[in-house]
Amino acid sequence: MSDCIFCKIGAGDMESDIIWESDSAVGFRDINPQAPTHILIIPREHVPMIADANEEHQELLGDLILTAKKIAEQEGIAENGYRLVFNNGDHGRQDVYHIHLHLLGGRQLTWPPG
Ligand code: 5GP
Ligand code: ZN
């Protein structure tokens, strides 16, 4: 999608701090980090939100989670733990409508979320 900022980041058409690339996914640092380590993992394919996903996206979604796990190890936060978050839609506080998985770590996170 030409007007999607995460499609542009995935295609290298927009500046970002990319720390992971595979055929199917890209990981880059969030521009407004909420924790010492805050990475966004996106599929290269444009799917707006979790609510749009179906059985065809099973591999794509599983890939995001396993990629996050590998990035957590690369970032040195795997041992202490971390959080993975998909925001979905208005009440989920989703701002960018290209599926992305937040990887947050590097400090003690609190619960419940805001
Ligand atoms: P959402 O609220 O949609 O789950 O999260 C979107 C995230 O994307 C936010 O944490 C926001 O800081 C991040 N973000 C928005 N625009 C950009 C950008 O242009 N570059 C990067 N690296 N992150 C962005
Ligand atoms: Zn997109």
Side-chain angles (χ1 to χ4, degrees):
M1 277 241 315
S2 57
D3 62 344
C4 169
I5 57 169
F6 285 180
C7 279
K8 284 183 185 157
I9 286 174
D13 293 337
M14 194 172 146
E15 181 68 32
S16 72
D17 189 356
I18 291 176
I19 53 129
W20 188 276
E21 283 201 84
S22 71
D23 288 348
S24 52
V26 179
F28 54 95
R29 296 192 193 283
D30 196 293
I31 205 167
N32 182 24
Q34 301 302 312
T37 300
H38 187 173
I39 310 290
L40 301 174
I41 301 111
I42 60 167
R44 289 192 186 276
E45 180 183 340
H46 180 87
V47 182
M49 60 199 293
I50 291 288
D52 296 316
N54 56 43
E55 283 68 19
E56 283 173 30
H57 301 108
Q58 196 153 324
E59 197 174 327
L60 176 153
L61 293 174
D63 180 56
L64 294 183
I65 295 171
L66 288 178
T67 299
K69 180 202 139 165
K70 291 178 208 162
I71 292 175
E73 289 165 0
Q74 178 178 284
E75 291 286 310
I77 60 169
E79 199 171 320
N80 284 339
Y82 49 86
R83 186 172 294 167
L84 301 179
V85 177
F86 285 108
N87 292 330
N88 181 82
D90 188 23
H91 278 194
R93 191 51 178 73
Q94 184 175 0
D95 284 333
V96 179
Y97 280 79
H98 176 130
I99 284 182
H100 50 281
L101 179 57
H102 294 260
L103 166 62
L104 297 143
R107 68 170 168 86
Q108 178 64 61
L109 300 172
T110 59
W111 193 264

